[in-house]
Amino acid sequence: MKGRERWPVICFASCPTPAYFIAMPNLGGPEILIIFVIVLLLFGAKKIPELARGLGKSMGEFKRAREEFEDEIKRAADDVDLDKDSKKHESGPANSEPRKS
């Protein structure tokens, strides 16, 4: 790759390819094993299940909050659509002129 670095760095408008803000190589089996051993040494075997349980609970709570937020947005959009439809029906056709008798 002529004129390019091996790992992409922060790149804005001058970059012809999509911007990568963090250069992260692919993780294979050995790298994941090393990370697991480091976590095991830092937290201990008894603490890891507690950490995983807490992480699972927090992910579930985040998912519920996200779904509630999406539902609220959908309800608000539906309310706005209903308001527009009801105003359109109340005013009648927009281009009609009053009848002369």
Side-chain angles (χ1 to χ4, degrees):
M1 297 170 111
K2 191 174 181 180
R4 288 181 129 180
E5 297 178 19
R6 178 180 162 96
W7 297 107
V9 294
I10 295 177
C11 183
F12 296 102
S14 63
C15 187
T17 60
Y20 296 100
F21 295 103
I22 299 176
M24 186 166 179
N26 294 332
L27 293 177
E31 291 87 359
I32 292 175
L33 182 64
I34 290 171
I35 292 170
F36 181 73
V37 168
I38 291 171
V39 168
L40 185 63
L41 290 173
L42 287 175
F43 296 107
K46 292 182 180 180
K47 204 72 161 164
I48 290 177
E50 294 174 20
L51 292 172
R53 196 173 304 116
L55 181 64
K57 286 181 181 179
S58 63
M59 288 174 60
E61 183 65 31
F62 179 78
K63 183 179 177 182
R64 278 192 296 276
R66 188 194 71 216
E67 289 172 353
E68 287 177 9
F69 181 73
E70 289 174 353
D71 290 343
E72 184 67 30
I73 295 295
K74 287 177 185 175
R75 274 187 261 136
D78 290 343
D79 289 345
V80 169
D81 290 341
L82 289 175
D83 288 343
K84 286 181 182 178
D85 288 342
S86 65
K87 287 180 182 177
K88 188 184 291 185
H89 290 295
E90 287 175 2
S91 63
N95 294 330
S96 67
E97 296 180 14
R99 284 188 173 180
K100 295 180 182 178
S101 346

